[in-house]
């Protein structure tokens, strides 16, 4: 490859076989072409044969892949930072190692970012298995969206196109002390510093996969670890946003998602001291940030957080146990995922729409 690539795709890998094959195949099928892109793959100490698969793709596509293998760090932050340090493209895109892209995704994103002068660009996501993805922010293609009011606080994963100069100018990096949710402070800082945030929503470009075994760090992390990471998320919002509607817009999302999810099916299994620590931590966050926000979330979530704030662990555990929506799902779409994994990777170009033309 000669010159500066338009886009560097960073893939942090840890034990994602066989999903990794689909992920890397979707990158080699990109219509932007190998001369305009680079793929930086950082293997965070995989033990499932992923290292060999990375080597196989590198050999089949010389010059496209930059690879690094390191001891396991315990989370995606460190390999994502190493990948960002190796990236040389004008833009950087972070792709989950168990996810994949539509063939035209990178070409369309770079085209729109160049046309609109975007610092951050979101592309429409689709869910595979029982994975959930944001929808409100993808109702239409837009050259510029607001921090609050267009759905951005509900779409804080790092699966976005970032202007690399923005990340380097402000030294924006992942917090390596966060085993989970480290992408959210990263994304929030980039968006808070961006002059323009755009959305490409004309068709599905990013396919987000919930693994059949739900084995990634976000699903494996226990409530106490997730609480510590959630505290870092609130700290980031307060660092960049003054008290008021913008900050409240993000805090509402944090209460709705991060704090409520602390009280899933695994919470009753904790020992009482751990349960009390989680409730005390949530109570501190409610006291600090809940005024004007807590009453704006739905009644079910508000009741759960109020029980935690009061320290009523017995009632809280009883309600969690009786709530079918918080019962662990073991099958998790396994058979649908097997069929998906065996399907061929598309190579043709889907019908194109002009930038700014909304999906019907």
């Amino acid at each position: 490859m000669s010159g500066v690539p338009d886009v560097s795709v960073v893939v942090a890998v840890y034990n994602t076989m066989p999903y990794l094959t689909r992920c890397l195949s979707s990158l080699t099928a990109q219509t932007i072409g190998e001369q305009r892109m680079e793929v930086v793959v950082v293997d965070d100490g995989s033990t499932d044969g992923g290292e060999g698969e990375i080597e196989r793709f590198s050999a089949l596509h010389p010059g496209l892949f930059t690879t690094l293998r390191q001891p396991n760090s315990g989370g995606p932050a460190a390999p994502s930072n190493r990948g960002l340090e190796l990236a040389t493209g004008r833009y950087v895109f972070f792709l989950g190692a168990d996810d994949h892209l539509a063939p035209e995704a990178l070409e369309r994103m770079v085209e729109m970012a160049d046309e609109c002068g975007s610092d951050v660009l979101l592309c429409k996501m689709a869910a595979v298995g029982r994975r959930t993805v944001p929808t409100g922010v993808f109702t239409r293609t837009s050259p510029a969206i607001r921090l609050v009011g267009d759905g951005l606080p509900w779409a804080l994963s790092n699966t976005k196109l970032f202007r690399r100069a923005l990340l380097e100018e402000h030294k924006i990096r992942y917090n390596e002390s966060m085993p989970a949710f480290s992408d959210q402070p990263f994304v929030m800082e980039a968006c808070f510093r961006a002059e323009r945030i755009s959305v490409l929503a004309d068709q599905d470009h990013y396919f987000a996969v919930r693994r059949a075994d739900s084995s990634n760090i976000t699903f494996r992390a226990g409530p106490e670890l997730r609480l510590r990471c959630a505290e870092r998320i609130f700290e980031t919002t307060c660092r960049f946003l003054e008290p008021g509607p913008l900050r409240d817009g993000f805090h509402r999302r944090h209460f709705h998602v991060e704090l409520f999810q602390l009280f899933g099916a695994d919470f009753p299994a904790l020992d009482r001291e751990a349960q009390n620590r989680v409730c005390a931590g949530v109570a501190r966050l409610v006291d600090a940030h809940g005024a004007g926000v807590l009453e704006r979330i739905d009644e079910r979530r508000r009741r759960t957080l109020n029980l935690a704030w009061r320290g009523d662990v017995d009632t809280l555990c009883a309600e969690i146990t009786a709530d079918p929506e918080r019962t662990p799902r073991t099958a998790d779409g396994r058979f649908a995922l097997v069929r998906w994994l065996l399907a061929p990777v598309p190579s043709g170009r889907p019908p194109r729409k002009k930038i700014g033309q909304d999906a019907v």
Side-chain angles (χ1 to χ4, degrees):
M1 180 185 301
S2 61
V4 176
D6 286 327
V7 59
S8 301
V9 182
V10 174
V11 185
V13 178
Y14 178 68
N15 286 355
T16 56
M17 290 294 289
Y19 305 89
L20 179 62
T21 301
R22 180 84 177 209
C23 172
L24 300 181
S25 295
S26 78
L27 292 175
T28 60
Q30 288 297 301
T31 60
I32 196 171
E34 295 186 5
Q35 296 304 310
R36 295 179 57 196
M37 63 181 287
E38 67 176 358
V39 179
V40 182
V41 182
V42 181
D43 180 6
D44 199 44
S46 294
T47 59
D48 65 345
E51 179 183 13
E53 190 71 341
I54 295 167
E55 292 175 353
R56 184 174 74 87
F57 272 86
S58 297
L60 289 172
H61 300 272
L64 176 62
F65 288 87
T66 298
T67 63
L68 173 68
R69 180 172 171 82
Q70 63 183 28
N72 181 252
S73 66
S80 297
N81 280 339
R82 302 296 87 74
L84 181 54
E85 290 162 3
L86 293 171
T88 63
R90 295 189 299 118
Y91 298 101
V92 179
F93 187 87
F94 294 93
L95 175 62
D98 38 15
D99 302 334
H100 73 281
L101 295 176
E104 280 202 340
L106 294 177
E107 183 180 10
R108 298 296 312 285
M109 283 189 279
V110 169
E111 178 184 29
M112 181 173 182
D114 282 345
E115 287 184 10
C116 299
S118 313
D119 289 314
V120 180
L121 185 144
L122 292 71
C123 66
K124 189 175 182 181
M125 305 175 71
V128 178
R130 293 186 182 272
R131 179 80 170 266
T132 58
V133 297
T135 56
V137 74
F138 298 122
T139 56
R140 62 187 180 91
T141 291
S142 177
I145 64 170
R146 301 166 292 176
L147 285 176
V148 171
D150 295 315
L152 179 63
W154 304 89
L156 296 181
S157 71
N158 66 342
T159 54
K160 299 170 175 58
L161 189 76
F162 299 90
R163 188 179 300 277
R164 192 168 68 88
L166 175 77
L167 304 180
E168 295 306 318
E169 177 185 355
H170 298 287
K171 306 300 181 187
I172 302 174
R173 293 295 187 269
Y174 295 85
N175 185 338
E176 296 185 20
S177 71
M178 297 176 64
F181 311 139
S182 61
D183 55 342
Q184 293 185 34
F186 178 94
V187 170
M188 284 192 290
E189 180 174 356
C191 289
F192 295 156
R193 295 189 181 279
E195 293 187 9
R196 174 162 293 194
I197 305 168
S198 305
V199 174
L200 178 60
D202 59 335
Q203 60 195 47
D204 294 336
H205 291 287
Y206 190 104
F207 296 88
V209 179
R210 174 79 175 265
R211 301 185 210 171
D213 59 0
S214 298
S215 62
N216 64 27
I217 185 65
T218 300
F219 294 110
R220 288 186 289 109
E224 288 193 273
L225 185 151
R226 298 200 304 271
L227 172 63
R228 293 196 297 273
C229 293
E231 290 169 342
R232 304 290 86 75
I233 294 172
F234 278 94
E235 289 171 2
T236 301
T237 310
C238 294
R239 176 186 169 196
F240 289 98
L241 297 178
E242 296 293 327
L246 290 182
R247 182 190 285 187
D248 288 351
F250 280 86
H251 282 177
R252 180 188 174 198
R253 186 263 184 201
H254 303 335
F255 278 111
H256 185 97
V257 180
E258 269 70 40
L259 293 195
F260 176 75
Q261 288 182 349
L262 297 175
F263 303 102
D266 53 348
F267 181 80
L270 298 176
D271 63 62
R272 182 51 60 98
E273 289 187 2
Q275 291 171 339
N276 287 336
R277 287 194 296 270
V278 172
C279 288
V282 169
R284 289 193 298 271
L285 292 172
V286 169
D287 287 339
H289 310 295
V293 178
L294 195 60
E295 56 265 34
R296 297 179 60 203
I297 67 174
D298 65 86
E299 182 179 354
R300 173 171 168 263
R301 288 173 169 80
R302 187 168 62 251
R303 175 170 172 77
T304 290
L305 297 181
N306 275 326
L307 288 171
W309 178 77
R310 287 159 39 192
D312 189 349
V313 175
D314 290 333
T315 303
L316 182 56
C317 288
E319 294 200 358
I320 291 171
T321 303
D323 186 348
E325 293 187 24
R326 295 192 245 202
T327 301
R329 300 182 179 97
T330 54
D332 200 41
R334 185 182 307 274
F335 299 112
L337 281 167
V338 169
R339 290 194 296 271
W340 165 78
L341 284 167
L342 295 176
V345 176
S347 58
R349 289 174 176 257
R352 295 202 52 178
K353 294 182 179 181
K354 295 181 180 179
I355 298 300
Q357 181 179 353
D358 294 340
V360 177

